[in-house]
Amino acid sequence: MRKMLVTALLLTLPALVNAGRLIRIPMNTDSDFTLVRDMGYEVTAGSRRDGWVDVMVNQRFVDETLARYPEAKLLPLEWSELLPVSETDSRNEMGYYYGPNENAAFWATLAAGSDMVDTPTSYGTSFQGRDLYFVRITNAPAGAPAILFTSLTHAREPGGNSVLIDWAQWLTTEYGSDTMATFILNNAQIYIVPIVNPDGYEYNNPNGGNQRKNMNYTVPVASSGIDLNRNYSFMWGYDDSGSSPDPYSETYRGESALSESETLAETQWIDSIQPLGGFHYHTYGGLLLYPYGYNNSPTPHQSTFQGWAAQMTELNGYEYGRCGEILYDVNGDAVDWSYGASTHSPMLFYTPEVDDAGFWGSQNDTTAIVTNNAECRYMNKLLCMNLLSMAGIGEETSAQFDGAAFGITLQSNPVSAVLGYTVTGASSASVSILDVAGRVVAAPSDGSWVIPENMQNGVYFIRAESGNKAATERFTVLR
Ligand SMILES: [Zn+2]
């Protein structure tokens, strides 16, 4: 039955008109890099540092492109489209990625199985009338800070969605045993929007290929949707290179800022929950991007964005920076809006570009998906710990006696190898490291403490005492 359906769709769906191939072109100089885009190629990923750029080319232009760039490499077909599943294959909608219906089932099941997970809740309706929904996971008191994760703003980028499914599963499964999962859910409201662009995602189901934009075909009739990640209202349409005024372009920004129901509903909802920050997930390339994208200028939070990015990418080696440093300037995107829009104070958002194999390349490869998820889970954890620590959660109030400014300051937090600390307000103090159960695990004395190799990742305390004064700070071990 299923196979018949797939065959029928193959014959009738207009999606195949869009069918394309990804080609990787080596780039040596900066002008090479911009030349490719100026020739009209659709750039899907790239890195100035590593000297490559991928372009999506209509099947008809593959030979011509390969002739123009003799060093270029045609990337595997499954990087750019979902291939039909065989009759014996147990995979469902979109290979090992989660399709639209599998997402709905996953989130409903997760909510049914845990008091900490709210039933998926609507925040609006898409252009074609589909539900736009979020899921909240928390065990924190009302009013605890919000942290937001989104994916599938671009409908052909399911790798980010897999990351968020893994993240939600990890948080709820490990709560109560992993100290970091416990700490995060006890102190934050984790919000997840798994599918920002449900119409485009449904269009790609089961093998429509590379629809990126939403499904608003009305302006003009022949166009193929609006790029939601160029439609946000901060610096919308700043110039024509960071977004396009051409409806046929894959970066078409729409007729006006927030013209699309998907972006309008999402931004109004985000303003209502006021997250501290978060990740707007995309694929691919293995990058971690932060604002400003529109003109490649540093924000007032540049050192925070950069410092956290360096820390978060320690494990996966993702290249980090502003979009314009790594690839090109981008205007009207979600990260710039999250940081810069006047409707809220700055929210510290990044765009991770998951290091997937193109858009659909892991469709047959659970190992690759699991690896990507684990690498990004580490970034998710670290981001939450950093945001909560910045909000004052995680810094225990130092007990004050005698009016003296007795305290303990950490050089960095979270820590991976060595915890550096300074005790102020006393000439000598005894220092101890405690686990969350209050057991003393070490007693350092010289301002630094090497984390033992066998120590579990998680939340710990460092406590300093001198006479009748005591101060405690919370820190996280994360490797
Ligand atoms: Zn994207």
Side-chain angles (χ1 to χ4, degrees), residues 217-369:
Y217 279 74
T218 56
V219 190
V221 172
S223 85
S224 58
I226 283 91
D227 184 352
L228 297 177
N229 213 31
R230 301 293 184 277
N231 188 245
Y232 292 85
S233 52
F234 182 77
M235 294 295 164
W236 177 86
Y238 175 77
D239 61 28
D240 288 347
S241 55
S243 66
S244 176
D246 170 10
Y248 295 91
S249 164
E250 288 291 353
T251 58
Y252 175 48
R253 60 184 173 240
E255 286 206 310
S256 59
L258 301 180
S259 58
E260 302 313 295
S261 41
E262 291 87 354
T263 47
L264 182 62
E266 187 199 10
T267 51
Q268 288 174 343
W269 170 72
I270 293 177
D271 276 341
S272 76
I273 62 163
Q274 297 278 335
L276 297 171
F279 282 151
H280 294 302
Y281 266 100
H282 288 252
T283 69
Y284 58 96
L287 312 171
L288 186 60
L289 309 170
Y290 47 81
Y292 286 121
Y294 78 98
N295 69 350
N296 196 20
S297 66
T299 65
H301 285 82
Q302 165 70 20
S303 64
T304 302
F305 275 121
Q306 189 176 345
W308 292 4
Q311 207 184 27
M312 290 189 284
T313 57
E314 260 174 17
L315 185 74
N316 59 21
Y318 281 22
E319 186 178 3
Y320 59 87
R322 298 184 300 274
C323 200
E325 295 175 293
I326 294 170
L327 204 53
Y328 301 123
D329 291 356
V330 163
N331 59 53
D333 84 334
V335 163
D336 270 12
W337 177 86
S338 300
Y339 183 79
S342 59
T343 48
H344 52 249
S345 38
M347 302 166 174
L348 302 187
F349 271 84
Y350 294 77
T351 288
E353 296 274 359
V354 178
D355 193 16
D356 212 340
F359 297 118
W360 304 102
S362 302
Q363 59 187 277
N364 299 315
D365 190 348
T366 45
T367 309
I369 291 181

Side-chain angles (χ1 to χ4, degrees), residues 5-27:
L5 181 70
V6 168
T7 312
L9 287 170
L10 267 173
L11 294 173
T12 54
L13 264 188
L16 288 189
V17 173
N18 294 338
R21 290 297 294 265
L22 286 165
I23 295 179
R24 177 159 298 183
I25 308 173
M27 289 286 118

Side-chain angles (χ1 to χ4, degrees), residues 172-233:
T172 50
T173 308
E174 295 301 320
Y175 181 86
S177 53
D178 182 283
T179 55
M180 225 177 309
T182 310
F183 179 78
I184 291 168
L185 292 184
N186 280 347
N187 289 284
Q189 306 185 66
I190 301 299
Y191 286 93
I192 295 175
V193 177
I195 311 175
V196 174
N197 177 7
D199 297 349
Y201 202 42
E202 189 61 55
Y203 185 78
N204 282 339
N205 182 30
N207 54 2
N210 43 61
Q211 176 69 18
R212 162 188 166 100
K213 302 187 282 182
N214 79 348
M215 295 301 289
N216 180 355
Y217 279 74
T218 56
V219 190
V221 172
S223 85
S224 58
I226 283 91
D227 184 352
L228 297 177
N229 213 31
R230 301 293 184 277
N231 188 245
Y232 292 85
S233 52

